[in-house]
Amino acid sequence: MFASILLLLGGLGTFLIGLKMMGDNLQNIAGDRLKLLFNKVSNNKFMGITTGAGITAVIQSSSATTVMIVGFVNAGMMTLKQATSIIMGANIGTTITAQITALQSLPITPFLTALACVGAFMAMFGKDKIAKAGMLISGIGIIFVGMKFMSSSMDEISKSQAVIDMLSSVKNPFLLMLIGLVFTAIFQSSAATTSILITLCSVDLETGGQLMTLQSAIFVTLGINIGTCVTAMLASIGANTNAKRASVIHLLFNVFGTAIFMIFIFVAPLINEKLAMHYWLAKAFPNVVSTQIAMFHTIFNILATVILLPFTGGLTKLATLLVRDKKNTQEGENESEKFEYIDERILRSPAISLMMLRKELLSMAFLAKTNFDLSVEILSTLNFDKAEEFAEREKRIDMLNKKLTKFAVKISAKDISYKEEKEIASFYHVISDIERVGDYAENICESAQELVDNSLNFSTTAIDEIMMMKGAIDKLYEYVMLGFEQKSLAVIDEVNGYEDLVDTYEEDLSKNHIVRLHNNECSAESGGIFLSIISNMERIADHFRNVFKSMSTYVTPIKTKANIKEETPLVDAKNNDNVRILPPANAKSEVVQDKEVKEVTSKVSTNNKHKK
């Protein structure tokens, strides 16, 4: 008896390992499709249900899907209304596991268990996608190996009179539901509890009966559906109010669905005996108890979704009433330390985690670009009223630099594809490049402060030149972010064209300023600051282009006709005129050798050494 219990536990562990192998590798194979599904999330209820069902069918866990949804709501990427329909779909998707488990009743089970070996050879000798497919196939085989172990152990356990008496004595529907709820909460997997339930119902006793009848199994299944909400409820601890509401909606959906079915189960037989749930299931799928249970699981979730779909708004309002906004909430504290899109819960799906990390990098780039814009504004007006705002944003950029790197490391530790590994590797450089943009923007602010401290200023011409160079950087940023967001190299010519123009601008403006120095139109001190500023701006352009170039390791290049050439005039960010500043004719090489110019160059070099 004791050995049989150990065998049962071993079979359960094998089943769970196989389920995880299948789900993880299915995610890797369908990674991009998962991203597409989440990108299509909208207020369309049917699209939400399709998304939830599709993702759960891939992940093989409604709990995992709901936990991710809690993360998305917590990050503000998904509304409660959107989350509700996806949660409904997740409950439908999770029934796929029960249907797979029900296949053990078919005579093909030995062939299905042999898939563990077939998949193992594919994983050992195949490469990349073949290896992933092998692990997926092996996972399916291991699921049935685990089921076989559980069935074998149950044959021995079923001979115990104590076990027979215990199971046969449990007739109370609510106690049966509680059993399903508790075991699902313990295993953190409705699939595991359902597989044990199917095994119990599939064991024939010598008397011709079963350890558990179909009618009892129906009540246990209802409890399993409620028990699967426990994982999401636990995941919502520490999340914001809306994320907690999302987990409550998951619970409400299953509770209301269960209540509706309980009424039907008790009332239907009173009207006509043939309406009894267990009666027509037995008629529709005779002598196959595993299929009867799996079909009930599927029918329950589909009908519950159909019945409750019109009331998604009501579920949302009820969840809002149950989880109220806190008056003295602490959610606003340390907001600068929180991600805008990322939530640790989404690490359950590496493919989705990568998508969220990309969105967070776009947000970080926007912060850096905003600080650059502000630094140029401060420089042109010498008004430091927004200096504190600048400092807070720079502090957040530095925080993101550290936290995004740590998050990328966590994704790298997951079982991801080779292409995703290259994408993650490129993100480390992207994080650093964006952080450097923020540093160079800070350098420009420091240069503005240096002008004020030394009672210096720039001429109108110098400011116009800086604004012209900024116009090129603005366009470069737009194209870089467009390509990076869409994971496309289609705008490579535009990116290279504008970056080259920024380089040309640095050279032209340096020569222009050197001429002004030679003609004593400005001082060496202000000249050094000017050259330092345009040097910092050129480096900002370099780092933006690096962000774009980082995609070359995992995105296939697309050849397109260049829309920008070196001779194309820049757009003036200030006046929107097509203007190109060219070096004056007298800016010859002998001017560069001027003693004053050498002093300026020396000062610029010294300044840059002391700056970030």
Side-chain angles (χ1 to χ4, degrees):
M1 179 68 173
F2 180 69
S4 296
I5 293 175
L6 292 179
L7 190 62
L8 174 65
L9 294 175
L12 176 61
T14 305
F15 175 86
L16 291 173
I17 288 294
L19 196 64
K20 180 171 175 56
M21 283 178 61
M22 182 176 71
D24 288 350
N25 288 283
L26 197 53
Q27 279 190 71
N28 286 330
I29 294 171
D32 290 335
R33 293 178 181 85
L34 280 181
K35 296 174 191 176
L36 287 174
L37 277 175
F38 264 114
N39 280 331
K40 289 181 179 179
V41 170
S42 65
N43 290 323
N44 186 306
K45 295 178 183 179
F46 298 102
M47 180 59 73
I49 290 171
T50 302
T51 301
I55 290 172
T56 306
V58 172
I59 296 176
Q60 290 294 302
S61 172
S62 61
S63 298
T65 302
T66 309
V67 167
M68 283 196 295
I69 292 168
V70 168
F72 287 133
V73 174
N74 189 54
M77 287 194 62
M78 190 179 290
T79 65
L80 277 175
K81 188 176 180 180
Q82 291 171 335
T84 303
S85 59
I86 296 175
I87 288 169
M88 289 179 174
N91 280 273
I92 295 174
T94 195
T95 63
I96 298 296
T97 309
Q99 295 292 347
I100 293 173
T101 305
L103 293 176
Q104 69 166 325
S105 61
L106 301 177
I108 61 171
T109 301
F111 297 98
L112 293 173
T113 55
L115 290 177
C117 181
V118 175
F121 278 109
M122 289 174 65
M124 289 170 63
F125 302 108
K127 292 184 179 179
D128 201 21
K129 288 186 178 181
I130 299 296
K132 295 294 181 186
M135 293 295 286
L136 166 62
I137 292 171
S138 189
I140 295 173
I142 290 173
I143 285 175
F144 288 97
V145 171
M147 291 294 294
K148 187 65 177 175
F149 270 105
M150 286 191 283
S151 296
S152 300
S153 64
M154 202 60 71
D155 288 337
E156 294 297 322
I157 295 173
S158 64
K159 295 176 181 178
S160 169
Q161 190 61 44
V163 172
I164 295 172
D165 293 340
M166 181 183 69
L167 291 176
S168 60
S169 64
V170 181
K171 299 294 184 181
N172 188 303
F174 297 100
L175 182 57
L176 289 167
M177 287 174 58
L178 182 62
I179 290 172
L181 190 158
V182 171
F183 275 93
T184 304
I186 292 172
F187 294 138
Q188 295 281 292
S189 170
S190 59
T193 315
T194 304
S195 67
I196 293 175
L197 178 64
I198 288 174
T199 304
L200 285 171
C201 294
S202 300
V203 176
D204 291 326
L205 302 177
E206 293 178 0
T207 58
Q210 296 170 313
L211 279 178
M212 184 174 287
T213 65
L214 175 60
Q215 190 171 9
S216 297
I218 286 173
F219 293 115
V220 176
T221 303
L222 293 174
I224 289 172
N225 276 277
I226 298 175
T228 195
C229 302
V230 173
T231 307
M233 296 294 290
L234 293 173
S236 69
I237 296 174
N240 64 25
T241 302
N242 271 340
K244 290 175 182 175
R245 287 169 180 164
S247 64
V248 169
I249 288 172
H250 188 207
L251 178 63
L252 289 174
F253 171 78
N254 284 288
V255 169
F256 284 140
T258 299
I260 292 169
F261 265 73
M262 287 288 284
I263 294 171
F264 177 79
I265 289 169
F266 286 120
V267 174
L270 299 177
I271 301 172
N272 190 324
E273 187 179 338
K274 293 183 179 180
L275 290 177
M277 187 75 68
H278 63 280
Y279 178 85
W280 61 262
L281 278 171
K283 281 290 184 182
F285 310 98
N287 303 319
V288 190
V289 181
S290 58
T291 302
Q292 292 168 4
I293 295 172
M295 290 308 299
F296 172 73
H297 195 200
T298 301
I299 291 168
F300 165 77
N301 283 288
I302 291 176
L303 288 182
T305 298
V306 171
I307 294 169
L308 295 175
L309 185 59
F311 305 101
T312 52
L315 287 173
T316 303
K317 289 179 181 178
L318 182 56
T320 303
L321 289 173
L322 293 173
V323 183
R324 295 180 177 274
D325 291 312
K326 298 178 182 178
K327 292 182 179 179
N328 298 319
T329 181
Q330 296 180 348
E331 288 177 7
E333 294 183 4
N334 299 322
E335 284 294 324
S336 61
E337 295 294 318
K338 295 180 180 179
F339 288 127
E340 186 172 352
Y341 298 108
I342 289 175
D343 191 291
E344 295 284 338
R345 297 165 183 81
I346 62 175
L347 276 170
R348 286 173 175 261
S349 176
I352 305 299
S353 298
L354 270 174
M355 183 177 74
M356 294 300 101
L357 179 52
R358 181 175 295 275
K359 286 183 178 291
E360 201 70 55
L361 287 172
L362 286 165
S363 176
M364 182 183 178
F366 176 77
L367 293 175
K369 176 60 165 57
T370 302
N371 259 12
F372 168 60
D373 292 341
L374 184 54
S375 69
V376 176
E377 179 186 330
I378 291 173
L379 179 68
S380 61
T381 61
L382 297 182
N383 184 338
F384 289 85
D385 289 346
K386 297 181 180 178
E388 186 175 345
E389 174 189 328
F390 181 97
E392 284 299 316
R393 199 176 288 114
E394 173 61 20
K395 182 180 177 182
R396 177 165 176 78
I397 292 170
D398 289 340
M399 179 276 296
L400 287 172
N401 177 38
K402 296 175 183 177
K403 293 190 71 173
L404 288 178
T405 301
K406 290 179 180 179
F407 187 77
V409 170
K410 290 179 180 179
I411 300 177
S412 298
K414 299 289 182 179
D415 186 15
I416 57 178
S417 66
Y418 177 65
K419 183 179 178 181
E420 288 171 333
E421 286 178 1
K422 292 194 291 185
E423 189 173 348
I424 281 288
S426 74
F427 281 171
Y428 293 115
H429 298 290
V430 171
I431 294 168
S432 177
D433 281 312
I434 295 173
E435 193 272 338
R436 293 300 293 156
V437 169
D439 287 343
Y440 286 122
E442 191 174 17
N443 286 350
I444 294 173
C445 271
E446 290 173 0
S447 294
Q449 185 63 54
E450 193 175 345
L451 287 174
V452 173
D453 292 342
N454 293 284
S455 301
L456 301 171
N457 54 47
F458 288 146
S459 65
T460 302
T461 301
I463 294 296
D464 286 344
E465 289 176 347
I466 289 173
M467 295 304 293
M468 289 294 294
M469 189 172 181
K470 181 181 180 298
I473 296 174
D474 289 343
K475 296 298 293 183
L476 172 65
Y477 169 79
E478 289 176 15
Y479 281 114
V480 167
M481 293 302 109
L482 176 65
F484 188 74
E485 182 177 16
Q486 298 180 357
K487 282 177 66 172
S488 170
L489 297 175
V491 292
I492 187 170
D493 291 318
E494 288 84 350
V495 170
N496 289 336
Y498 274 111
E499 204 280 332
D500 289 342
L501 283 173
V502 171
D503 291 342
T504 302
Y505 247 124
E506 184 194 22
E507 182 181 348
D508 291 353
L509 300 188
S510 297
K511 291 178 180 178
N512 285 355
H513 209 71
I514 288 171
V515 170
R516 286 195 292 271
L517 289 171
H518 183 69
N519 295 333
N520 294 319
E521 293 175 14
C522 62
S523 65
E525 289 80 4
S526 64
I529 295 173
F530 180 87
L531 294 178
S532 176
I533 289 169
I534 62 174
S535 174
N536 280 306
M537 291 176 72
E538 189 274 333
R539 291 175 185 177
I540 285 173
D542 284 343
H543 286 292
F544 277 140
R545 184 165 71 166
N546 287 346
V547 171
F548 186 84
K549 287 173 64 179
S550 70
M551 295 189 293
S552 62
T553 59
Y554 59 90
V555 176
T556 304
I558 300 175
K559 291 186 178 181
T560 57
K561 184 179 179 181
N563 294 328
I564 297 177
K565 297 180 181 179
E566 187 173 344
E567 66 269 21
T568 304
L570 288 176
V571 178
D572 187 335
K574 187 175 182 181
N575 301 315
N576 292 323
D577 295 324
N578 289 332
V579 181
R580 171 82 183 278
I581 298 178
L582 297 174
N586 61 348
K588 305 294 183 181
S589 58
E590 60 267 18
V591 176
V592 181
Q593 299 302 320
D594 189 276
K595 180 180 178 182
E596 186 179 20
V597 175
K598 287 184 178 181
E599 293 173 356
V600 172
T601 305
S602 175
K603 183 173 182 179
V604 172
S605 177
T606 303
N607 286 343
N608 285 335
K609 285 181 181 179
H610 291 88
K611 291 184 179 181
K612 296 179 181 178

